[in-house]
Amino acid sequence: MKAKEVIGQKEIWLRLKKMVDEERLPHALMLCGPTGCGKLPMALALASYLLCKDKQEDGACGQCRQCAMLRKWEHPDLHFTFPVIKPSGTSSDYKPYSDDFLKQWRQLLAKNVYFSFSDWLETLNAENQQPYISVKESEELARKFSLKSSQGGYKVAIIWLPERMRTECANKILKLLEEPPQQSAFIMVSEEPELLLDTIRSRCQRIDMKRIDDGSLAQALVGKMNIEEDDALRLARLANGNWLKALDMLNASNENNLFLEQYQTLMRLAYARDVRRMKAWSEEMGSLGREKQKRFLQYMLRFTRENFMYNFRCDDLNYMTANEEAFASKFAKFINEANILEIADLIERAIRDIMQNANGKIVFFHLAVQMIILLLKK
């Protein structure tokens, strides 16, 4: 994979390339940044550059024998670690690990190197299971890195979402990072690095990637999705540097439209003080998977903020679709200085409760009832 396939982020690529060229690449890197900024694609581009035998200015050559294996992500010296669930039919004490789902992982990469955790959940058919990285993963990594390089160069591990490691796994990974084999590179791709052990974070050189700039995002939309430049610029601004969000907004039936409908329903019921229908709404929301519940609440938090900012009538402060703006034009007046902070706290508490496996129906019903009170504040 060439670096030019990563959308934007040229400064980060040049920084990483220079480390490799000057032979001062640390054995452990951690790529961090907002969702959709291209952390995993950057990790794949770096891994390809490390393993390529004929390096070019813009990354891997794409022609050598190593690159031929990398096209299907089947290079013997490139290892992937990612959160998984228990495979069906396994015993209760079985410890799942990435190789159990390596075929599905490679298929997802072949389809698009930009994907979300939700996409991975759908690929796993996880339903309500929470994927994690078990201790068996660290044992397998230690075994793989104890062997000599198959192709006589680097051995590379890409660890996607290391914050989902179980404690025992994290402790064993730490030992591997403390005494890494020669010519080994561990590239961690983290959404929430603060959840990792301090000792692991201290062993990694952290690289913070920013949101994709609007120009690069718009250019990619024109080139990859074949849309008009003006439309691409509007989408890029609304996507706020998130390629995945930009793609979602191109899909007429995307999840955000569903979330907008659910948000509108909740606020209308709260305004009407219709507790009976609120209960039905809560039960519907409670039937969704936990990750989808969490995504809705994050959408609710963002859109509530957009409604508050809409009151200032400053277009530069708002990032809404046409449908969202049409609703905000009538609803925004109910989100004001008297209630915005309490509403935000209420939603953030609901997110924490969902992440801690609280009963979804109860969480959403409590949220709905409290919204009746908060919307009255002026």
Side-chain angles (χ1 to χ4, degrees):
M1 177 175 173
K2 290 181 174 288
K4 65 181 181 182
E5 296 176 60
V6 181
I7 301 169
Q9 308 295 357
K10 290 183 179 179
E11 182 181 337
I12 296 294
W13 166 249
L14 292 175
R15 178 180 173 187
L16 293 172
K17 180 180 179 297
K18 187 175 182 181
M19 289 180 182
V20 177
D21 294 345
E22 295 179 354
E23 298 183 352
R24 55 182 183 83
L25 183 77
H27 69 274
L29 283 171
M30 184 183 298
L31 301 181
C32 307
T35 300
C37 73
K39 298 183 292 297
L40 179 58
M42 184 64 76
L44 293 168
L46 176 59
S48 300
Y49 190 64
L50 286 170
L51 296 170
C52 177
K53 296 300 184 183
D54 187 19
K55 296 175 175 57
Q56 305 293 310
E57 189 64 25
D58 61 349
C61 70
Q63 303 297 323
C64 67
R65 182 169 176 268
Q66 313 301 321
C67 289
M69 292 185 282
L70 287 166
R71 274 194 285 274
K72 294 185 178 180
W73 303 113
E74 294 179 351
H75 195 290
D77 293 326
L78 175 61
H79 307 286
F80 292 104
T81 291
F82 41 82
V84 295
I85 59 175
K86 284 183 183 292
S88 58
T90 56
S91 62
S92 59
D93 60 346
Y94 180 77
K95 299 292 190 297
Y97 69 118
S98 299
D99 286 2
D100 291 331
F101 295 92
L102 194 55
K103 180 181 178 181
Q104 294 92 322
W105 175 261
R106 286 171 173 159
Q107 288 173 343
L108 191 57
L109 286 178
K111 183 179 177 182
N112 190 355
V113 293
Y114 283 83
F115 58 84
S116 65
F117 183 60
S118 301
D119 296 326
W120 180 233
L121 285 176
E122 186 175 340
T123 300
L124 289 176
N125 194 23
E127 295 180 348
N128 283 329
Q129 294 189 64
Q130 290 295 311
Y132 65 97
I133 302 176
S134 75
V135 67
K136 186 174 181 180
E137 193 69 59
S138 57
E139 295 167 353
E140 282 295 310
L141 269 181
R143 180 187 66 79
K144 291 171 182 177
F145 274 77
S146 68
L147 304 173
K148 289 186 177 180
S149 167
S150 170
Q151 304 297 306
Y154 265 94
K155 293 178 73 69
V156 182
I158 293 179
I159 304 175
W160 186 59
L161 304 184
E163 55 267 29
R164 288 186 171 266
M165 289 190 291
R166 294 284 172 86
T167 302
E168 190 178 358
C169 173
N171 288 330
K172 290 196 174 185
I173 289 286
L174 178 60
K175 291 182 180 179
L176 194 56
L177 297 180
E178 288 175 337
E179 299 177 6
Q182 282 192 331
Q183 276 201 300
S184 62
F186 297 89
I187 308 172
M188 297 192 183
V189 180
S190 179
E191 291 278 343
E192 300 176 287
E194 66 278 2
L195 299 181
L196 275 164
L197 294 177
D198 291 340
T199 45
I200 288 183
R201 293 204 304 269
S202 68
R203 295 296 188 280
C204 301
Q205 180 167 333
R206 176 167 170 165
I207 306 289
D208 285 301
M209 297 175 61
K210 299 178 182 178
R211 59 183 290 276
I212 304 170
D213 65 278
D214 290 350
S216 296
L217 199 60
Q219 185 179 3
L221 286 167
V222 172
K224 295 177 182 289
M225 309 309 296
N226 196 30
I227 66 173
E228 295 296 327
E229 186 173 351
D230 288 346
D231 293 335
L233 288 169
R234 176 179 172 83
L235 272 176
R237 184 173 179 274
L238 289 172
N240 194 29
N242 184 337
W243 174 248
L244 298 176
K245 185 177 178 182
L247 293 181
D248 278 345
M249 288 189 291
L250 283 176
N251 184 353
S253 60
N254 67 75
E255 190 175 69
N256 276 8
N257 283 341
L258 172 64
F259 288 166
L260 174 58
E261 291 177 8
Q262 296 290 1
Y263 185 97
Q264 290 172 330
T265 299
L266 170 61
M267 295 307 175
R268 286 166 179 161
L269 293 176
Y271 181 77
R273 305 183 193 180
D274 192 337
V275 177
R276 182 180 62 82
R277 291 179 62 195
M278 276 184 169
K279 184 175 182 294
W281 178 88
S282 304
E283 290 174 351
E284 181 182 350
M285 297 303 297
S287 67
L288 303 177
R290 290 199 176 275
E291 289 299 325
K292 196 166 187 177
Q293 292 172 352
K294 179 182 172 183
R295 293 198 303 276
F296 168 73
L297 290 168
Q298 290 169 336
Y299 172 87
M300 186 178 179
L301 189 62
R302 179 195 69 80
F303 191 44
T304 299
R305 176 263 178 200
E306 296 298 339
N307 274 274
F308 176 66
M309 299 306 296
Y310 185 86
N311 293 311
F312 295 96
R313 297 294 191 273
C314 181
D315 291 343
D316 290 341
L317 297 177
N318 270 124
Y319 298 86
M320 293 187 286
T321 65
N323 287 339
E324 288 174 339
E325 188 170 352
F327 178 71
S329 65
K330 299 177 181 178
F331 175 73
K333 61 186 178 182
F334 295 101
I335 306 297
N336 51 62
E337 293 89 345
N339 60 17
I340 179 63
L341 294 179
E342 289 184 79
I343 291 176
D345 287 343
L346 178 66
I347 300 170
E348 288 171 351
R349 178 183 171 185
I351 293 173
R352 290 195 300 270
D353 289 342
I354 290 298
M355 292 178 67
Q356 293 171 5
N357 294 323
N359 185 302
K361 294 178 182 178
I362 295 175
V363 171
F364 281 102
F365 187 63
H366 176 264
L367 174 73
V369 172
Q370 291 299 310
M371 198 61 66
I372 294 175
I373 301 169
L374 293 176
L375 288 184
L376 292 175
K377 291 194 173 184
K378 297 181 180 179

